[in-house]
Amino acid sequence: MENNFKRSIDTAIFIPAALILLAVSVPILVWPEMAGQQIAGMYDWITENLGLLYQWGVIGALLFLSWVAFGRHGSIRLGSDSQKPEFGNYAWISMLFCAGVGAGLIYWATIEWSHYIEHPPMDAVPGSEEGRLLAVSYGMFHWGPLAWAIYALPTVAISYQYYVRGASSLRLSTGCHGLISHPGRAKLLARIIDSLFVISLLAGAGTSIGLSIPMISASIADSVGATRSLTMDIAVVCTCIGLLSIAAYSGLSKGISKLASFNVGLAFVFLMFILLTGPTKFILRQGTESLGFMLQNSLRMLTYTDAVKRSGFVENWTIFYWAWWIAYGPIVGIFVTRISRGRTLRDLILGMAVFGSLGAWIFYIILGNYAYYVDMHHLVPVRQIVHDASTGQAISAVMGSLPFGNVMRGVFALIAIIFIAATYNSKAYALAACTSVELSVGEDPSRWNRVFWAVALGLLPIALILVNGGIKIAMSAVLVASLPLLFLSGMMVYNLLKTFPQKLPGA
Ligand code: NM2
């Protein structure tokens, strides 16, 4: 049964994973400065010397996935040919969206433009038409189909090996199933790959939560007229962890899918409120313009290396973003594999690229353009608050400018908390899946294993909050952790090419 520890837990992965969690959190708490310096040095080295590799990696993923999605392999079904999708479309899209994005989306959607507008990329003149459009559309590029392609790659690799080629466990190394055939070496390599997954998860999740907790606390504090405090930050983390532990305990269809569907529904109502009570026409106009501008310039943005000016934009933003998506890739891959039985590879790729991007763009269009509007009309000095105080406070001020401002700040904080709980849910699930001995199709990791990870994941955010500059450490760690995964993605593509059937049944 559930609590049969020996049968359900793979201690050879469970213990190293728990140790990695401690090994990452403790030094950050004890030697924050040294940890910060070391990791910042690595960040600079990697972006300077290997930045191009990330850019070409994304281009490669795009080409490969287009070939799969639009070619004959796209119709390969995950499971038997007659298998019906396990989850309905709304629940499936909500879960994949919540697995892939979290509170980081509402954070950056509201504020990313403000970081670009005074120093636009591509040498555009600040205040010019080009500068404005670059500022409001670059974020949409960072969350668009190219970014989702980074998620789709490990998802296709893992789900194909799991459902079609009969891999018996659901882990990151499942994506390399069959590639490493020597039993002894295969085991060791698989263990290394699965540990990489834990590290990337911690760095990615640490960044998301480290960014969003101050934003949530500032919104709560402002809405009740209090000052933000450390206790409040920790209380927010504990609320998120409590919520997600309940969902993790209740399982996939009862807890996780309901939380995700509720989250998407609530966020949508909130966005509609802003659109309808805010400057509707402006939001729609600038939203349309930025969408068109971004689509038209995607190739330019994708290949922008800033070869002459070397302003740092590409390294600080685009490459950082790609690394962040790569770091999240395994978690999303494992989780989306689990919820996608009965879907085809084409469904997976297009579902992520289309619905993932559309969802993220709606946030950017409504939140970003609303914030831009209130700044431009001197209703809220958004950019100034970002400079003089903090981004979290600027976001809270934007929400406070809505009708029923203080209530909306509270609602906004609630949405962000549910967003965090919903994303962390898929992480706890993926960690539990990874540390289970075997997981046959349709089976879930044991209940206490899921709850253990839900609670354990709270440790790192608390460490990051307690340490000054913790978020910088997490952001740099994302990049460092993503590097081996970049190479691993190459291995997964190679494995897919090797194991895709030469002839498809019925072809
Ligand atoms: N990504 C999508 O908090 C979040 O939104 C997590 C961030 C990787 C940029 C996902």
Side-chain angles (χ1 to χ4, degrees):
M1 265 260 320
E2 290 250 284
N3 37 17
N4 186 341
F5 182 87
K6 276 234 170 87
R7 200 184 67 80
S8 62
I9 302 290
D10 187 344
T11 40
I13 300 204
F14 183 86
I15 293 172
L19 288 180
I20 291 173
L21 178 67
L22 278 177
V24 173
S25 307
V26 173
I28 293 179
L29 264 173
V30 184
W31 305 286
E33 244 169 56
M34 203 178 75
Q37 271 169 7
Q38 289 292 333
I39 225 154
M42 288 194 224
Y43 185 97
D44 292 342
W45 191 89
I46 296 176
T47 47
E48 174 61 26
N49 297 298
L50 302 172
L52 263 184
L53 208 61
Y54 282 81
Q55 290 181 282
W56 277 102
V58 176
I59 297 173
L62 176 74
L63 295 177
F64 176 73
L65 291 168
S66 311
W67 173 74
V68 176
F70 300 112
R72 58 197 180 98
H73 298 302
S75 50
I76 294 177
R77 194 168 291 282
L78 304 173
S80 66
D81 281 345
S82 56
Q83 175 78 54
K84 289 252 168 337
E86 188 179 347
F87 292 94
N89 288 341
Y90 180 70
W92 182 66
I93 292 169
S94 304
M95 280 196 280
L96 82 78
F97 188 68
C98 291
V101 304
L105 173 62
I106 39 188
Y107 181 97
W108 288 118
T110 315
I111 217 73
E112 193 162 335
W113 63 270
S114 75
H115 290 267
Y116 303 157
I117 197 104
E118 279 155 32
H119 310 282
M122 301 185 169
D123 222 6
V125 182
S128 67
E129 181 81 348
E130 165 107 344
R132 171 180 66 93
L133 285 171
L134 279 168
V136 291
S137 67
Y138 230 104
M140 292 166 73
F141 165 72
H142 289 147
W143 293 76
L146 291 156
W148 284 90
I150 301 178
Y151 278 174
L153 193 67
T155 313
V156 167
I158 296 172
S159 57
Y160 179 70
Q161 305 299 338
Y162 186 61
Y163 289 110
V164 183
R165 305 243 319 140
S168 61
S169 52
L170 182 50
R171 299 173 177 171
L172 179 56
S173 56
T174 306
C176 299
H177 173 72
L179 187 61
I180 22 185
S181 48
H182 182 283
R185 247 180 289 151
K187 257 213 166 124
L188 182 68
L189 197 58
R191 295 244 186 290
I192 296 176
I193 292 175
D194 292 322
S195 311
L196 277 181
F197 155 76
V198 181
I199 299 173
S200 76
L201 180 144
L202 292 175
T207 299
S208 305
I209 210 151
L211 283 172
S212 37
I213 298 297
M215 161 184 89
I216 299 173
S217 301
S219 306
I220 298 177
D222 291 347
S223 85
V224 294
T227 2
R228 199 191 127 206
S229 65
L230 205 62
T231 329
M232 196 180 259
D233 283 1
I234 294 178
V236 172
V237 178
C238 293
T239 314
C240 298
I241 301 300
L243 205 62
L244 86 93
S245 303
I246 298 172
Y249 183 81
S250 322
L252 198 57
S253 51
K254 276 204 215 114
I256 303 181
S257 105
K258 292 234 164 67
L259 187 65
S261 305
F262 176 70
N263 182 23
V264 168
L266 185 66
F268 189 72
V269 172
F270 183 71
L271 291 177
M272 284 306 118
F273 178 82
I274 300 182
L275 178 65
L276 298 176
T277 59
T280 314
K281 274 189 266 173
F282 173 79
I283 293 178
L284 293 176
R285 282 195 187 120
Q286 185 154 280
T288 309
E289 220 172 22
S290 53
L291 192 62
F293 184 86
M294 185 263 313
L295 291 175
Q296 197 188 350
N297 286 283
S298 279
L299 192 57
R300 193 173 155 211
M301 294 172 176
L302 183 64
T303 52
Y304 176 51
T305 59
D306 200 7
V308 176
K309 282 248 155 153
R310 311 293 297 132
S311 66
F313 179 87
V314 183
E315 287 75 14
N316 291 337
W317 290 98
T318 307
I319 294 174
F320 164 70
Y321 258 121
W322 293 162
W324 196 8
W325 285 86
I326 293 173
Y328 260 71
I331 315 159
V332 178
I334 291 174
F335 183 75
V336 176
T337 292
R338 172 61 188 85
I339 60 170
S340 299
R341 179 149 57 124
R343 309 234 165 221
T344 61
L345 292 184
R346 183 173 301 121
D347 292 342
L348 270 193
I349 299 171
L350 298 184
M352 288 182 128
V354 174
F355 295 107
S357 310
L358 277 182
W361 288 343
I362 295 176
F363 280 82
Y364 264 84
I365 288 179
I366 299 181
L367 292 177
N369 290 316
Y370 176 73
Y372 180 93
Y373 182 90
V374 289
D375 182 82
M376 188 175 69
H377 288 270
H378 310 292
L379 301 170
V380 179
V382 181
R383 280 171 292 160
Q384 203 180 331
I385 307 180
V386 171
H387 276 170
D388 301 347
S390 70
T391 310
Q393 265 162 293
I395 297 175
S396 164
V398 170
M399 300 307 154
S401 68
L402 289 164
F404 312 107
N406 282 341
V407 178
M408 292 324 279
R409 276 181 166 129
V411 175
F412 174 76
L414 181 73
I415 292 177
I417 289 177
I418 299 180
F419 245 114
I420 293 183
T423 349
Y424 259 55
N425 235 322
S426 51
K427 294 182 187 79
Y429 188 94
L431 267 170
C434 225
T435 49
S436 299
V437 175
E438 282 195 348
L439 218 50
S440 48
V441 169
E443 197 187 356
D444 288 328
S446 77
R447 194 170 257 179
W448 81 262
N449 191 2
R450 299 191 308 252
V451 174
F452 171 83
W453 287 112
V455 176
L457 277 176
L459 188 66
L460 183 69
I462 292 181
L464 289 176
I465 288 169
L466 289 176
V467 160
N468 228 350
I471 180 61
K472 283 256 157 57
I473 303 182
M475 288 170 91
S476 308
V478 161
L479 188 85
V480 178
S482 68
L483 188 60
L485 292 175
L486 194 61
F487 293 103
L488 189 68
S489 307
M491 253 168 95
M492 288 186 179
V493 169
Y494 173 73
N495 198 26
L496 279 173
L497 289 173
K498 231 180 85 182
T499 53
F500 266 154
Q502 294 299 314
K503 248 200 199 143
L504 289 174

